[in-house]
Every structure is written in C-alpha cells, then in structure tokens.
Amino acid sequence: MLTVVSSFIAVAMALFVLFIRFKSAKKPASAKKIILPPIFMSTGALMFIHPFFRVTAAEFFEALFVGMFFSIFLIKTSNFEIRDNNIYLKRSKAFAFILIGLLIIRIIMKSFLSTTIDVGELSGMFWILAFGMIVPWRIAMYRAFLRVQKEHHLSNNHNHK
C-alpha cells in the first residue's frame, strides 16, 4: 500500500517538475535557480536519522549509481540559449519524455524491489537515487550556464568595442 502511495507522490512530483520546467523556460535562467533545488532537496537526508529509512552501504551505492546514470539523460536535454540578451533554458521536447520514462522505470523498480526490501529502506534508496540524479544534473547545468554566460559576456564586450 505504501509503495502505491509513494508512486502516486512520485507521479505528482514529476508533473510538478514538468510544470516548473516549462514555466521556467519562459524566464531568464540564473545560477540561483539552478543551484537551489538540490540544496532544498538535501534536507530530505534528515529522513536517515530515523532507523526506518536507513540503507546498507550496498543499497546506498546502488541507488547513487543508478541516479547518476539517470542524470545523463537529463543533462543531455538541458541546454541554454541567449534570447533578448538573457540566458534561457532551451525547451526540449525530449525532456518531458525522458522524465516520464525515468518515472516509469522508477515505479517498475519500486514495485519489483518492494517485494524484497522494506518500504523504509526502499524510500531511502529512492531518495538517494533522486538526489544522485539531481546533483550531477544541476552541476552540469550550472557549468553550462556559466559557459554560456561567459560567451555572452565576451560577445557583448566584443560588440561594444
């Protein structure tokens, strides 16, 4: 039952991420907007204070590496462009499909793993997976943002001379 509830929460969160992503593409990007989500998400690590959510070292690294692997797909679909003299996140049709695909994979994995792993540990593992996915993705986005910002700054300086 808890697996079903957590899957519905994951679907709601994915829809929220898609909504935010499409909304944010209409506004200029900033370093703050890129960096803050993983910082806010990091507070979720407090769940591990409670023994119910603790995972073994093997489960930790499995979840982390799967999350890092999933981040590759998000990184590939997150690019920036200059519009109206500002830096914007490029809209990517593939992003929505990839996010939904990753969500489906997570739900299938959770359903399968819930038969052998306690729900608390599984929740901890999927938080680690999500964190392992968002941190590399946001680091890559931040680096790409800085690169575009530097190029934009250089081209503006060159144009003004």
Side-chain angles (χ1 to χ4, degrees):
M1 177 64 180
L2 286 174
T3 304
V4 173
V5 171
S6 67
S7 294
F8 279 116
I9 291 169
V11 169
M13 288 173 60
L15 292 173
F16 179 71
V17 167
L18 281 173
F19 173 76
I20 294 296
R21 173 72 181 247
F22 290 130
K23 189 176 173 184
S24 70
K26 296 177 183 176
K27 297 178 184 174
S30 70
K32 185 173 149 182
K33 290 178 186 177
I34 295 168
I35 294 169
L36 286 178
I39 292 171
F40 294 149
M41 187 182 171
S42 68
T43 61
L46 292 173
M47 75 164 58
F48 297 109
I49 291 172
H50 195 286
F52 181 71
F53 297 105
R54 292 195 188 136
V55 298
T56 66
E59 291 167 337
F60 173 84
F61 286 110
E62 288 170 6
L64 182 64
F65 291 134
V66 170
M68 291 170 74
F69 175 73
F70 283 177
S71 76
I72 294 167
F73 301 102
L74 299 174
I75 291 166
K76 294 289 184 191
T77 58
S78 299
N79 298 301
F80 294 95
E81 64 185 353
I82 306 291
R83 288 192 323 245
D84 304 323
N85 211 25
N86 288 306
I87 302 171
Y88 288 84
L89 189 59
K90 274 188 191 177
R91 282 188 174 231
S92 168
K93 293 176 185 173
F95 179 82
F97 292 110
I98 288 171
L99 192 64
I100 292 167
L102 292 174
L103 175 66
I104 291 168
I105 292 168
R106 282 183 64 186
I107 290 171
I108 291 168
M109 287 171 56
K110 193 174 247 185
S111 298
F112 177 73
L113 293 172
S114 68
T115 61
T116 58
I117 300 173
D118 291 334
V119 70
E121 284 178 81
L122 198 55
S123 297
M125 286 179 72
F126 276 89
W127 182 88
I128 294 164
L129 184 149
F131 198 67
M133 186 169 62
I134 195 172
V135 170
W137 173 39
R138 291 302 175 133
I139 289 170
M141 282 179 70
Y142 181 69
R143 292 182 65 181
F145 175 81
L146 290 179
R147 187 172 51 252
V148 171
Q149 187 178 49
K150 183 179 178 182
E151 290 168 5
H152 179 59
H153 181 72
L154 289 173
S155 70
N156 276 347
N157 284 343
H158 182 70
N159 291 338
H160 288 115
K161 288 184 180 179

